[in-house]
Amino acid sequence: MQDIAQADTTSIMYALAGGIVWNLGTLLLVAAMAIAGMAVGFPIGGGLAWVLGILVNFMISGAQGITSQYFFIGVGLIVAAIYFCMMAYKKLSSVKKVQLQKV
C-alpha cells in the first residue's frame, strides 16, 4: 500500500489501462486458440503482439539510421510469418470442409 500511495493518479491509470488491454488480449488469444487451435493461435497472436511492441517502441524511442532498418526487416519477417500461418490455416480449413461434405 505504501508503493501505491507514492504513485500519482496518472501512473495508476496507465497501470489500469495496461491491465485491461492485457486481459482483453489474453481473452482474444484464448478465443483464437479455441477456434483455430494452438498451432495457429499462438503464431498469429504472438506475431501481432511482437509487431505492435516493436512499432510502439520504435515510435517512442525515435530510433533512426541503421537500427530502424533492422526494425523494419524484423517486422517484415514477422508479418510474413503471420501471413503464411494464416494461409496454411485457410487451406487446412478448406480441405476439412471438403472432406466433411463428402461424408
Side-chain angles (χ1 to χ4, degrees):
M1 293 305 288
Q2 290 176 346
D3 290 336
I4 294 174
Q6 293 176 357
D8 60 347
T9 306
T10 305
S11 297
I12 292 173
M13 290 300 156
Y14 280 137
L16 286 173
I20 291 168
V21 170
W22 183 271
N23 283 315
L24 287 174
T26 302
L27 287 171
L28 292 173
L29 179 61
V30 170
M33 287 188 301
I35 294 170
M38 286 177 51
V40 176
F42 274 121
I44 293 174
L48 291 174
W50 290 332
V51 169
L52 182 62
I54 290 168
L55 292 177
V56 167
N57 283 317
F58 179 76
M59 286 186 275
I60 290 171
S61 68
Q64 297 175 355
I66 192 81
T67 307
S68 65
Q69 292 173 354
Y70 290 128
F71 276 143
F72 291 117
I73 290 170
V75 169
L77 290 173
I78 294 170
V79 169
I82 293 169
Y83 176 76
F84 290 133
C85 187
M86 289 188 301
M87 290 299 105
Y89 177 70
K90 183 178 177 181
K91 186 174 183 178
L92 176 68
S93 63
S94 65
V95 168
K96 284 184 178 181
K97 187 176 181 179
V98 169
Q99 288 175 348
L100 288 174
Q101 288 176 351
K102 288 182 181 179
V103 175

